[in-house]
Amino acid sequence: MQLIGSVPSPYVRRIRIWAQQNNCKLELVSLDIFSEQDRPTMASKNPARKIPILVDGDLTLSDSNSILRYLLEKTGQPKLTWPQEHLLTTINACNDSLVEMLLCERSGFDTKSDKLFFNLQNERIEQTLSFLNTHLSDEEFKSCEYLNISLYCLLDWICFRELTDFSQYSELVAFHKQYGKRQAAIDTNPRH
């Protein structure tokens, strides 16, 4: 199986960490998704031009959630429960807002200006981080490996890209520090 994506992407990284921790062999095909050279490769596998993309024989899947569902089924592991899916959606919402803000900044927009789009993204980021800080100790969260991986990848990407300050959320800070000691987190660190 091939996993197509970029090393810094938190969505790609979560699949890589899950695969490593579950002895699931994936070959990473690393792309620079903003380069003229690599964009056609990405587009040929996913017309939405988003990563990650999993290729397993004749099957091509995009979106980290779909890829995880496929890998869980392929390895005979249980699906996420609906409450876990809800928590994952919350993590993804925060991650998506941060991606949008980063793309806007890289496009030259003043993301600190009082504009509806930026205000809504900043509200979502703040509220989802607060929500996750509160629910990190819930059994549904603690018992789900993929939720832990996804949250760690979000938090570490925030730090890596210097996107926002979550230091006021003590549970998230402690979780990020502790999870970062795991070998799979070290092996997939985008700073290397």
Side-chain angles (χ1 to χ4, degrees), residues 43-60:
S44 73
K45 299 293 184 189
N46 182 4
R49 298 172 185 248
K50 294 180 105 176
I51 54 172
I53 304 163
L54 180 80
V55 179
D56 187 11
D58 293 336
L59 178 67
T60 300

Side-chain angles (χ1 to χ4, degrees), residues 29-82:
V29 178
S30 183
L31 303 177
D32 177 351
I33 62 171
F34 298 111
S35 78
E36 292 297 321
Q37 177 184 339
D38 287 352
R39 286 189 69 70
T41 302
M42 180 176 56
S44 73
K45 299 293 184 189
N46 182 4
R49 298 172 185 248
K50 294 180 105 176
I51 54 172
I53 304 163
L54 180 80
V55 179
D56 187 11
D58 293 336
L59 178 67
T60 300
L61 294 171
S62 56
D63 184 74
S64 59
N65 294 348
S66 297
I67 292 169
L68 174 76
R69 286 185 198 105
Y70 177 73
L71 293 175
L72 287 173
E73 185 177 296
K74 189 172 178 92
T75 58
Q77 296 189 44
K79 296 186 284 187
L80 272 62
T81 65
W82 287 115

Side-chain angles (χ1 to χ4, degrees), residues 74-143:
K74 189 172 178 92
T75 58
Q77 296 189 44
K79 296 186 284 187
L80 272 62
T81 65
W82 287 115
Q84 289 167 341
E85 289 278 357
H86 174 68
L87 289 163
L88 182 58
T89 299
T90 303
I91 293 168
N92 291 343
C94 185
N95 220 140
D96 290 345
S97 287
L98 286 160
V99 167
E100 296 293 335
M101 294 295 276
L102 180 62
L103 289 174
C104 287
E105 283 178 17
R106 287 184 174 182
S107 298
F109 294 105
D110 177 8
T111 59
K112 303 214 183 322
S113 64
D114 185 17
K115 301 288 185 195
L116 178 62
F117 180 78
F118 303 139
N119 293 341
L120 290 175
Q121 302 315 309
N122 285 319
E123 269 180 34
R124 180 177 294 144
I125 293 163
E126 182 181 330
Q127 290 175 354
T128 55
L129 289 174
S130 177
F131 176 86
L132 292 166
N133 189 67
T134 302
H135 292 280
L136 189 55
S137 60
D138 292 358
E139 189 54 38
E140 286 290 341
F141 201 103
K142 291 192 311 189
S143 66

